[in-house]
């Protein structure tokens, strides 16, 4: 993903990806092309550095028998973002299992996740909340499939 154009051309870099997909660390360095007229990080860059990770981590854990989408998002700008900023995502396995159980019957589940973007002093620059939609897939006949069999029908 570090060479994916929305990241590569904005100064965003994944610095750590937990092998179990339970954690991701991301940084955004400050360059002349990713500053706004006030000389601080573009708000869109702060949001972009946090955009895909909750959905990707959940999809990895819930698997192909679930639909996982971003549903809504909100960002609070708390302090001007200067220099290098970072975000640390930590997914709790208990949250994954709770969502799996809530969606087991095919119901749509909406869950909010929050990540802070911090500067070099550890101060929170922005707080981003993402609402993720989770639903267990149904097979083509509309019958709910037992766990682990949806991929065979795709």
């Amino acid at each position: 993903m570090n060479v994916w154009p929305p990241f590569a051309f904005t100064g965003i870099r994944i610095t750590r990806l937990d092998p179990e997909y339970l954690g991701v660390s991301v940084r955004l360095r400050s360059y002349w092309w990713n500053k706004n007229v006030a000389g601080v990080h573009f708000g869109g860059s702060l949001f972009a550095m946090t955009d895909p990770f909750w959905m990707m981590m959940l999809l990895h854990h819930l698997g192909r028998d679930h639909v996982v989408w971003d549903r809504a998002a909100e960002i609070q700008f708390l302090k001007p973002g200067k220099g290098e900023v970072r975000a640390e995502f930590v997914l709790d396995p208990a949250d994954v299992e709770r969502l799996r159980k809530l969606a087991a019957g095919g119901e749509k589940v909406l869950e909010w996740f929050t990540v802070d973007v911090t500067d070099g002093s550890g101060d929170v620059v922005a707080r981003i909340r993402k609402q993720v939609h989770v639903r267990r897939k149904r097979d083509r006949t509309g019958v709910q499939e037992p766990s682990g069999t949806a991929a065979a029908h795709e």
Side-chain angles (χ1 to χ4, degrees):
M1 282 187 66
N2 284 328
V3 296
W4 184 42
F7 279 13
F9 296 118
T10 57
I12 298 168
R13 183 156 188 84
I14 298 168
T15 58
R16 182 186 66 85
L17 176 60
D18 178 76
E20 300 296 320
Y21 276 76
L22 292 171
V24 177
S25 301
V26 184
R27 77 163 186 240
L28 171 62
R29 288 194 171 151
S30 182
Y31 298 101
W32 64 268
W33 64 81
N34 65 8
K35 292 180 184 178
N36 65 21
V37 296
V40 298
H41 285 291
F42 279 115
S45 296
L46 295 171
F47 184 78
M49 74 181 286
T50 66
D51 187 29
F53 298 109
W54 293 119
M55 187 265 313
M56 287 174 43
M57 290 189 300
L58 282 169
L59 188 58
H60 176 82
H61 285 280
L62 293 172
R64 302 193 88 195
D65 57 344
H66 287 80
V67 174
V68 181
W69 289 103
D70 288 329
R71 175 71 181 247
E74 43 183 64
I75 185 168
Q76 284 183 294
F77 300 106
L78 303 172
K79 179 182 173 184
K82 298 179 181 179
E84 184 174 287
V85 294
R86 296 184 171 269
E88 302 284 333
F89 296 83
V90 178
L91 181 61
D92 186 339
D95 286 334
V96 174
E97 289 312 308
R98 183 176 51 76
L99 290 171
R100 185 185 314 277
K101 287 178 184 174
L102 288 170
E107 299 83 10
K108 172 178 65 174
V109 179
L110 300 174
E111 182 79 12
W112 285 96
F113 291 91
T114 303
V115 66
D116 288 339
V117 176
T118 58
D119 64 15
S121 300
D123 293 335
V124 178
V125 170
R127 179 162 293 130
I128 292 89
R129 289 180 10 114
K130 297 286 295 269
Q131 186 183 52
V132 180
H133 161 119
V134 175
R135 185 181 55 77
R136 181 90 190 276
K137 287 183 182 177
R138 292 183 178 90
D139 71 11
R140 291 190 172 105
T141 65
V143 177
Q144 197 65 35
E145 299 181 30
S147 182
T149 62
H153 296 288
E154 293 181 357

